[in-house]
Amino acid sequence: MDNSGPKKTCCESIRDFFTSAKFLIYMGHALSTWGDRMWNFAVAVFLVELYGNSLLLTAVYGLVVAGSVLLLGAIIGDWVDRNPRLKVAQTSLLVQNSCVIVCGILLMVVFQFKEQLVELYNGWILTTCYILVITIANIANLASTATSITIQRDWVVVVAGQDSSKLADMNATVRIIDQLTNILAPMLVGQIMAFGSHFIGCGFISGWNLCSMCLEYALLWKVYQKTPALAMKAGQKEQQQELKQLSPPKDLENGQSPEESSQPLMNEASVVAKPDSPQQQGCCYQVTEPLRTLKAGWVAYYNQNIFFAGMSLAFLYMTVLGFDCITTGYAYTQGLNGSVLSLLMGASAVSGICGTVAFTWVRRKCGLIRTGFISGVAQLSCLMLCVVSVFTPGSPFDLSVSPFQDLYTHLIGETTLPEADHSLTSVLTGGNATTPAPAAEQPPLQSYMSVSLLFAGVIAARVGLWSFDLTVTQLIQENVIESERGVINGVQNSMNYLLDLLHFIMVILAPNPEAFGLLVIISVSFVAMGHIMYFRFAFKSLGSRLFLCCSPEQKVEAVESPSLPTTV
């Protein structure tokens, strides 16, 4: 065997790895995610503390964040596509961290001088501070969305090059970093606030983001220098003009190839109005440009060949079967304490990490598209335990109790609640959780059988969930042309937030634990519909080969399949 050069020593190999663009992206993502997780955890606690242990400000903040990403996701993605990569990454990084720093300082002022602010102008100064905190925090979240689209959906693809296996490994590593920081970062800032104060917690987060911003900025610059391909986006306009000249007329649309069916979004905009068109000189045209960009983004998303794969991922957000405040509130009504819930959350994170590791192994053996199909079957099978838990002993599921009872009670203005207040809203708004039934009426083993099956299904399903999420993420990365990556991922984020928002509305309409079983069934139904969509995409892409054993030649499915556009 001909060796082109001397073999590298162990120290040289280690040095090359720690100075490679891949490792620098991991470091930058870890710092960014750590700061995000600390802030997302702390801001909810801060808003609850500021408003007298009420979830009103937190609910308003969540609604503003979800609505902003839903409306502006495509516009943010289009901005990512229009501008050079380094400019986008640096701008979003500076805006995100600067907003968090300003929010932290403002919260420190509020915590320190809250009593004085309440007395000024009948409390309007304090109300203004609340509005500023929510507004600036929302801007930080939008900038974080732009950073996520830029780094995780674009830079990672460029650094991986044309190596699909390397891209899969990088996606899995990034997701493992997400899982670890999601556990460790809230623990750190929680301990600081517990042994210190909220004032110290705000100061720590502001200081962290200031230091992290400088280090992330340097890491991004290093990655950009080490990956010359990242600078090629500057010639995007010329490439689009060439594609426009080569694109077929609209009357040949029925006979066009997959590569021709997915034209860049900017070409579509240029067809509507040419750059030299007089329409662009008018004020109305400029004012309505964001609306046209929004519409064109959603149309481009719908026309993608991976549309059903993206929709299948969005449908998984319409569920109460996750470790959020809804499931936590239900667990409290069933007698689980905070210690048990923290252990369950840890087990969920471990299960998610196992899913990311399983993704890389299954993808090598079965290919990318089959991995999504296998992951979907695994997730849906585990969620059947949740459906079974609805009908097992200890479940509060009762269709005779109106699921809209609590909503109706609040609407008619009744202040006297039933003797046994089982409402999830009472738990989430600081009320006392219902005490478990006496052992004589309901044996302990039976009382915990239902909730045990529920969480067993949720935790086990995380393996398939995260593997499926990585599959769809890589399908979008590999099969969306470079000039549309930003806007397509922006619309995908909007779809995710839309379905997530719908699941909160569903809980608001039926908040009592007796109706939680109905929410579980609806959630599993949406997950099943999502995987049916993916099955349609997979069967259209592979046909009968979907159920055949994989050979090494069949692993690069995105290139072989006639239904998928090639990677640009």
Side-chain angles (χ1 to χ4, degrees):
M1 181 179 294
D2 184 20
N3 294 326
S4 58
K7 293 183 178 180
K8 294 182 179 180
T9 63
C10 181
C11 293
E12 290 175 339
S13 299
I14 294 175
R15 182 194 62 192
D16 290 343
F17 174 75
F18 284 109
T19 57
S20 64
K22 181 170 69 172
F23 179 78
L24 295 178
I25 277 191
Y26 295 157
M27 284 293 298
H29 179 69
L31 290 172
S32 177
T33 308
W34 188 281
D36 284 347
R37 295 295 185 269
M38 286 198 306
W39 172 247
N40 291 334
F41 172 80
V43 69
V45 176
F46 293 153
L47 293 176
V48 170
E49 180 69 20
L50 287 174
Y51 209 70
N53 292 327
S54 170
L55 286 182
L56 178 61
L57 284 182
T58 306
V60 172
Y61 170 69
L63 184 63
V64 169
V65 166
S68 298
V69 177
L70 177 61
L71 294 176
L72 302 177
I75 297 175
I76 292 173
D78 182 63
W79 174 75
V80 172
D81 288 333
R82 286 174 180 263
N83 294 277
R85 289 188 173 97
L86 186 61
K87 176 184 176 181
V88 170
Q90 291 175 337
T91 303
S92 57
L93 174 66
L94 291 175
V95 171
Q96 176 190 355
N97 287 274
S98 299
C99 288
V100 172
I101 293 170
V102 171
C103 261
I105 295 174
L106 184 58
L107 286 170
M108 291 173 69
V109 173
V110 173
F111 279 120
Q112 188 69 19
F113 303 103
K114 184 177 180 181
E115 295 180 358
Q116 292 86 339
L117 292 174
V118 171
E119 299 175 356
L120 289 176
Y121 299 99
N122 296 324
W124 282 104
I125 299 296
L126 184 61
T127 302
T128 303
C129 290
Y130 293 157
I131 295 174
L132 286 175
V133 167
I134 292 176
T135 302
I136 298 173
N138 182 50
I139 295 173
N141 183 75
L142 292 175
S144 176
T145 301
T147 303
S148 175
I149 293 174
T150 303
I151 304 300
Q152 298 184 43
R153 303 296 188 264
D154 187 28
W155 283 44
V156 168
V157 180
V158 177
V159 171
Q162 300 297 323
D163 191 338
S164 181
S165 297
K166 184 178 179 181
L167 178 60
D169 293 338
M170 291 186 69
N171 285 332
T173 304
V174 166
R175 199 53 51 88
I176 290 175
I177 292 173
D178 289 341
Q179 291 286 335
L180 292 177
T181 53
N182 197 32
I183 302 172
L184 300 178
M187 288 176 58
L188 174 63
V189 71
Q191 294 300 316
I192 291 174
M193 290 189 295
F195 291 98
S197 64
H198 291 88
F199 180 85
I200 296 176
C202 291
F204 176 79
I205 293 175
S206 296
W208 173 276
N209 278 272
L210 179 61
C211 299
S212 175
M213 176 176 61
C214 300
L215 188 53
E216 288 178 59
Y217 196 95
L219 290 172
L220 284 175
W221 177 247
K222 283 289 186 182
V223 173
Y224 190 79
Q225 286 182 320
K226 289 179 174 293
T227 313
L230 290 172
M232 294 178 63
K233 194 176 181 181
Q236 177 179 321
K237 292 184 179 180
E238 290 78 8
Q239 294 175 5
Q240 290 175 352
Q241 291 297 329
E242 293 175 4
L243 288 174
K244 181 181 177 182
Q245 294 174 1
L246 296 174
S247 60
K250 284 191 174 181
D251 56 354
L252 298 179
E253 185 177 359
N254 294 331
Q256 64 187 355
S257 64
E259 290 81 5
E260 296 167 338
S261 63
S262 181
Q263 295 298 327
L265 175 62
M266 302 309 301
N267 287 349
E268 181 179 346
S270 63
V271 172
V272 177
K274 296 180 180 180
D276 297 330
S277 174
Q279 290 180 334
Q280 290 196 1
Q281 306 298 328
C283 180
C284 293
Y285 184 90
Q286 296 178 358
V287 170
T288 58
E289 184 176 0
L291 296 177
R292 290 195 308 276
T293 301
L294 182 65
K295 177 184 176 182
W298 284 87
V299 170
Y301 179 77
Y302 175 77
N303 290 330
Q304 294 294 318
N305 290 291
I306 45 85
F307 167 72
F308 281 106
M311 285 294 296
S312 66
L313 178 61
F315 265 58
L316 302 192
Y317 282 78
M318 178 65 176
T319 178
V320 296
L321 302 175
F323 282 88
D324 55 7
C325 58
I326 304 301
T327 312
T328 302
Y330 175 77
Y332 272 114
T333 66
Q334 300 307 299
L336 299 185
N337 55 35
S339 176
V340 174
L341 283 174
S342 63
L343 293 175
L344 292 175
M345 291 181 69
S348 172
V350 172
S351 179
I353 293 174
C354 292
T356 60
V357 175
F359 162 75
T360 58
W361 183 83
V362 177
R363 194 203 64 83
R364 291 194 199 99
K365 299 292 184 181
C366 302
L368 185 60
I369 295 179
R370 291 186 185 88
T371 300
F373 178 74
I374 295 171
S375 301
V377 172
Q379 182 193 8
L380 201 55
S381 300
C382 293
L383 290 181
M384 289 298 105
L385 289 175
C386 301
V387 177
V388 173
S389 72
V390 175
F391 305 100
T392 54
S395 172
F397 183 58
D398 188 0
L399 291 178
S400 63
V401 178
S402 172
F404 308 105
Q405 175 180 346
D406 290 324
L407 181 65
Y408 175 74
T409 300
H410 290 325
L411 288 176
I412 64 176
E414 289 186 10
T415 57
T416 304
L417 295 177
E419 181 179 354
D421 179 15
H422 297 284
S423 173
L424 283 180
T425 54
S426 68
V427 177
L428 299 178
T429 55
N432 293 327
T434 306
T435 55
E441 299 179 7
Q442 191 174 39
L445 290 178
Q446 288 189 359
S447 63
Y448 289 109
M449 183 180 298
S450 175
V451 71
S452 298
L453 284 175
L454 175 70
F455 279 98
V458 170
I459 292 173
R462 308 298 276 188
V463 177
L465 171 65
W466 286 110
S467 179
F468 183 81
D469 178 83
L470 283 169
T471 300
V472 176
T473 297
Q474 186 160 342
L475 282 170
I476 295 176
Q477 289 172 333
E478 291 185 349
N479 297 286
V480 174
I481 60 177
E482 182 177 324
S483 60
E484 287 186 353
R485 273 185 202 149
V487 70
I488 297 303
N489 282 286
V491 176
Q492 182 65 52
N493 285 343
S494 297
M495 285 298 306
N496 296 345
Y497 270 91
L498 174 62
L499 271 297
D500 189 51
L501 194 63
L502 290 178
H503 112 265
F504 279 109
I505 294 175
M506 180 176 67
V507 175
I508 291 173
L509 293 176
N512 53 317
E514 289 80 5
F516 191 79
L518 182 61
L519 303 185
V520 169
I521 296 173
I522 294 175
S523 299
V524 175
S525 300
F526 268 86
V527 172
M529 285 189 288
H531 290 306
I532 289 173
M533 291 181 184
Y534 185 84
F535 175 78
R536 175 179 176 180
F537 159 78
F539 191 79
K540 182 180 179 181
S541 301
L542 299 180
S544 60
R545 290 190 297 130
L546 176 63
F547 305 102
L548 298 178
C549 296
C550 305
S551 63
E553 292 78 11
Q554 293 175 332
K555 290 183 179 179
V556 190
E557 292 162 343
V559 177
E560 291 180 353
S561 172
S563 301
L564 293 174
T566 56
T567 304
V568 176

